[in-house]
Amino acid sequence: LIHGHNLIILDDAYQHRGVKPGLSILLFDYNRINQPHLLLPAGNMREPFSGRWRADVIVISKCPEQLGDEEKNAIAERIGPMPYQSLFFSTVSYRSFEDRAGKRTKTTIDTDTTVFLLTGIANPDPLVQHLAKSTTRIIHHNYPDHHRFSLKNISKLADEFSACKAQKKVIITTEKDAQRLVGHELLPVLNTLPVLLLPIGVEFLDNSGPQFDQLVTKYVREYSANHLIH
């Protein structure tokens, strides 16, 4: 127990063999499911593909909303879940824009909107594809995953935004990237820009969300019941 708590949730800890989790949820990106699973340094995998057997739950994330049964079956065959493993398919759902304070706005984009997209995430392609459904005028300031935005980065964005002659223009970034835009040196520039956040959610395909929730809740309740704090 840690400070009176008996439940710890860890992100990105699957490869840490010193951690003995009670429930492991392993995610595979739909867009990379058929790519070679090579270990470092030949690839970017931290452990062999065979390590998936240790998971209790496997989720294929970022699937198309209309994923057909034939392709689901092909993916299931590729993963080869064991009888004790539950397999789910999920998709990303984009929500309404928010301002930097997290307040929902009524802003919309259309074919006349020029979008300046600021990202520092591993795979921005799905986001770009989503925005492209509304406008083809996307100017992408794309940085590596976990990039710490500098004043030079934001000043470049501000200068290009100011020079853009479009009557309707906006700056869009992700919730994750917004957390790295809080540096004090960035605020004077950021406060002059109409920066919007595009929150995302997760939806399980085949109405399997309640089943996933029940599986996790059942584990937590049973574990808590067996480890009551006296």
Side-chain angles (χ1 to χ4, degrees):
L1 301 181
I2 298 179
H3 301 300
H5 298 282
N6 62 353
L7 177 65
I8 301 174
I9 300 175
L10 297 177
D11 175 39
D12 202 14
Y14 190 76
Q15 74 278 6
H16 295 295
R17 297 301 186 88
V19 177
K20 303 299 181 183
L23 181 71
S24 291
I25 301 174
L26 179 61
L27 274 63
F28 284 101
D29 188 331
Y30 164 85
N31 300 288
R32 301 179 181 180
I33 198 69
N34 290 317
Q35 293 181 1
H37 293 86
L38 302 177
L39 291 173
L40 292 166
N44 61 0
M45 302 297 292
R46 299 171 186 171
E47 65 172 280
F49 186 50
S50 59
R52 66 192 185 281
W53 306 127
R54 302 198 316 276
D56 300 290
V57 180
I58 297 176
V59 179
I60 311 302
S61 65
K62 302 178 183 177
C63 296
E65 291 184 29
Q66 306 300 326
L67 186 64
D69 291 338
E70 184 175 342
E71 190 170 4
K72 290 176 189 172
N73 292 335
I75 292 174
E77 185 174 349
R78 168 74 167 131
I79 296 296
M82 298 297 287
Y84 57 83
Q85 294 178 311
S86 299
L87 179 64
F88 293 90
F89 297 86
S90 70
T91 188
V92 171
S93 61
Y94 292 94
R95 300 174 178 172
S96 300
F97 291 113
E98 296 179 355
D99 60 24
R100 284 169 45 218
K103 184 179 179 181
R104 184 173 296 183
T105 74
K106 296 182 179 179
T107 304
T108 59
I109 61 174
D110 54 32
T111 55
D112 295 325
T113 307
T114 297
V115 170
F116 286 80
L117 179 61
L118 176 66
T119 63
I121 55 179
N123 182 21
D125 291 346
L127 173 56
V128 174
Q129 293 167 10
H130 170 72
L131 294 174
K133 295 176 183 177
S134 301
T135 180
T136 58
R137 302 178 181 183
I138 300 174
I139 301 171
H140 193 181
H141 287 236
N142 187 20
Y143 294 94
D145 194 20
H146 303 297
H147 179 73
R148 183 177 291 277
F149 298 112
S150 66
L151 181 58
K152 181 179 180 180
N153 298 152
I154 304 306
S155 296
K156 178 183 178 183
L157 174 65
D159 290 344
E160 290 189 16
F161 184 82
S162 177
C164 178
K165 302 301 183 183
Q167 292 185 343
K168 191 174 182 180
K169 55 184 179 178
V170 68
I171 297 173
I172 295 174
T173 191
T174 69
E175 290 178 296
K176 180 179 178 181
D177 290 312
Q179 300 304 311
R180 297 193 296 276
L181 293 175
V182 295
H184 293 300
E185 65 171 359
L186 304 180
L187 292 181
V189 179
L190 282 173
N191 289 338
T192 67
L193 302 173
V195 179
L196 294 178
L197 280 57
L198 182 55
I200 64 171
V202 174
E203 293 184 5
F204 285 86
L205 303 184
D206 304 317
N207 297 315
S208 60
Q211 181 185 348
F212 177 86
D213 293 345
Q214 184 180 24
L215 190 155
V216 175
T217 302
K218 181 175 182 291
Y219 165 75
V220 173
R221 286 175 176 169
E222 290 179 353
Y223 182 88
S224 299
N226 294 327
H227 296 78
L228 292 175
I229 302 175
H230 297 288

